[in-house]
């Protein structure tokens, strides 16, 4: 395809609530990834991600959480 052999993306992750809730803001992409986002009509805000992490010490903690 004539593009780079490397795909990369990097950004900034903010720990809104440390070890529980994070927000990721992408800052740089390889040209292939950037073109993929553009071809899908995605705005910058559709690239922003968040994560919520739960800490379970034992498998039974997960079962209790799900119930």
């Amino acid at each position: 395809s004539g593009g780079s052999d490397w795909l990369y993306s990097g950004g900034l992750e903010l720990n809104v609530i440390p070890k529980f809730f994070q927000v990721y803001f992408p800052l740089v992409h390889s040209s292939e990834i950037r073109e993929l986002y553009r071809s899908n009509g995605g705005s910058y805000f559709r690239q922003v991600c968040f994560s919520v992490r739960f800490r379970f010490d034992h498998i039974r903690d997960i079962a209790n959480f799900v119930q």
Side-chain angles (χ1 to χ4, degrees), residues 8-27:
Y8 59 87
S9 181
L12 177 67
E13 181 178 271
L14 297 178
N15 287 309
V16 178
I17 302 173
K19 297 183 181 180
F20 179 72
F21 182 72
Q22 296 81 26
V23 180
Y24 174 77
F25 299 94
L27 299 176

Side-chain angles (χ1 to χ4, degrees), residues 6-58:
W6 292 92
L7 299 176
Y8 59 87
S9 181
L12 177 67
E13 181 178 271
L14 297 178
N15 287 309
V16 178
I17 302 173
K19 297 183 181 180
F20 179 72
F21 182 72
Q22 296 81 26
V23 180
Y24 174 77
F25 299 94
L27 299 176
V28 63
H29 301 298
S30 63
S31 59
E32 290 82 359
I33 292 175
R34 189 171 41 251
E35 283 304 314
L36 181 63
Y37 280 125
R38 286 182 185 158
S39 69
N40 287 325
S43 70
Y44 174 77
F45 294 103
R46 291 185 71 190
Q47 300 174 42
V48 173
C49 302
F50 70 92
S51 64
V52 177
R53 297 178 184 170
F54 298 97
R55 181 173 175 204
F56 299 107
D57 292 327
H58 297 91

Side-chain angles (χ1 to χ4, degrees), residues 54-67:
F54 298 97
R55 181 173 175 204
F56 299 107
D57 292 327
H58 297 91
I59 193 74
R60 70 174 172 263
D61 294 336
I62 297 171
N64 291 335
F65 178 79
V66 173
Q67 291 179 353

